[in-house]
Every structure is written in structure tokens, then in C-alpha cells.
Amino acid sequence: MSDEEEKKAHNTIKVRNYIDSAQLKEDVGYSLVDISGAQARQAQLFVHYGTLAAKASRQVDNIKLLLENTEAAVYRVLRDSMVAKGEKVTEALLDKMVTRHERVTAVKKALNEAKQIEAVAKIAVEGFRHRKDMLVQHGATEREEMKGELVTKLRSSREEDLTNLKEGYLKRVSQNAA
């Protein structure tokens, strides 16, 4: 591959953003009106965003490999060029030249972008862990409230039954006394 071909190939580094912030915000939210529905979707969303986080992590690893290969290729090209010109070649000088080379810098920028995407993906997964905790708490609160309503209805029903019994008894007693 010629130097021009390598530049062209390098310039096509595509860093994919796996997380749509607006969709994440919508997915992480839920309504207290439909706790059961939110709980049912929790595992599905956690797996979805966990998979996206894994893909973002793989992207970082792939770009790290690309960076290593690019540095090695640039090092070789620079060294061969200096040797061909009869210039003095030192490892320290080559290392500095490689670090500043535009192809290496471009891959490092792509790596930084991929790391940022990976960090956002990890935060998304953590957000769904927090969401699960909140759903569990809201579900427990809802169950307690339902228990309270049931107890209140049961007491009211018992009081009504007792009142009906008393009224029936009093009617019978008053009819028997008459």
C-alpha cells in the first residue's frame, strides 16, 4: 500500500456513536402510572444498552489496534526515508516524529472520540441499573398503598356488616317486644 493509499484508508476512520441521547433519555424515563409496563421493559432495555456498550468497547479496542499499526507503519516509513537520505536516525527522534505525524494524530483523535462514546454507553447501562432500583422502590410503594386500600375497604366492609347486624337485631328485638 502506498503512502497515499494509507492516508486515504486512514482518513476513512468512522467512529460510530452507538447511543442516541434523545432516545436514551426517553428509554430511561418511565411513568408512575404504568410501573408494571416499565418493569416489563427494564430487562429488554438493559440488554439493549448493554449490547451497545459492548459494541462501543469493541470499537475502542479496534481503534487502539489501528493506532498501534499506524504508529508502526509511520515509524517504518520515516525510518526508511531518513536512512535513504543518509540522515542520522535515533529512536527518540523517530518516536517524536511518529507522535506528531498527522496520520497518528488523526487515529488518536478517533480513539478519543471512541472512548467518549464508550463512556456514554457505560453511563447509559449504569442509568438502567438506577432505573431498576427506582422501579423496585416504586413497585414496593405501590404494593404498600394497595395493601392500605384493601385494609381500609375490609374495615369499611366489616363496619357495614356489623351495622347491618345491629340494625337487624334491633328490629327483631323491637318486633318481639311489641
Side-chain angles (χ1 to χ4, degrees):
M1 184 183 283
S2 72
D3 195 43
E4 192 59 37
E5 288 174 315
E6 283 187 41
K7 274 187 181 180
K8 193 180 264 187
H10 169 71
N11 289 336
T12 61
I13 295 176
K14 300 269 190 253
V15 180
R16 182 166 178 212
N17 186 359
Y18 290 95
I19 305 293
D20 177 351
S21 296
Q23 185 64 49
L24 172 61
K25 187 176 179 180
E26 184 179 318
D27 288 345
V28 125
Y30 61 90
S31 169
L32 293 176
V33 174
D34 187 22
I35 295 289
S36 296
Q39 288 172 334
R41 288 193 65 218
Q42 173 63 22
Q44 174 189 7
L45 290 169
F46 187 79
V47 168
H48 173 70
Y49 283 95
T51 301
L52 294 179
K55 288 178 180 180
S57 182
R58 183 188 65 210
Q59 178 174 249
V60 168
D61 292 341
N62 288 343
I63 294 175
K64 283 180 182 178
L65 286 173
L66 180 62
L67 176 60
E68 290 173 12
N69 289 332
T70 302
E71 287 174 334
V74 168
Y75 189 93
R76 181 181 32 88
V77 168
L78 292 175
R79 184 192 69 228
D80 292 349
S81 174
M82 291 175 76
V83 167
K85 292 177 187 175
E87 297 176 3
K88 182 178 177 184
V89 179
T90 66
E91 197 172 318
L93 176 62
L94 280 173
D95 286 344
K96 286 181 185 178
M97 290 174 71
V98 167
T99 300
R100 293 186 200 140
H101 195 277
E102 67 184 33
R103 285 175 33 212
V104 172
T105 303
V107 177
K108 285 182 178 179
K109 286 179 180 178
L111 179 59
N112 289 341
E113 185 179 349
K115 285 180 177 180
Q116 177 189 4
I117 291 165
E118 179 187 36
V120 170
K122 286 179 179 179
I123 289 168
V125 170
E126 186 62 26
F128 281 97
R129 283 190 181 101
H130 289 288
R131 182 181 190 265
K132 177 196 73 148
D133 294 342
M134 291 186 306
L135 284 169
V136 167
Q137 186 58 47
H138 282 125
T141 301
E142 190 175 88
R143 281 189 300 280
E144 287 301 315
E145 288 174 357
M146 287 171 62
K147 283 180 190 175
E149 288 175 19
L150 289 175
V151 167
T152 302
K153 286 180 182 179
L154 183 61
R155 283 184 187 148
S156 177
S157 174
R158 285 181 181 164
E159 289 172 5
E160 188 178 318
D161 288 347
L162 186 58
T163 303
N164 289 339
L165 282 173
K166 284 180 185 177
E167 288 174 3
Y169 176 75
L170 291 174
K171 280 183 184 178
R172 281 192 308 259
V173 169
S174 65
Q175 287 173 354
N176 289 342

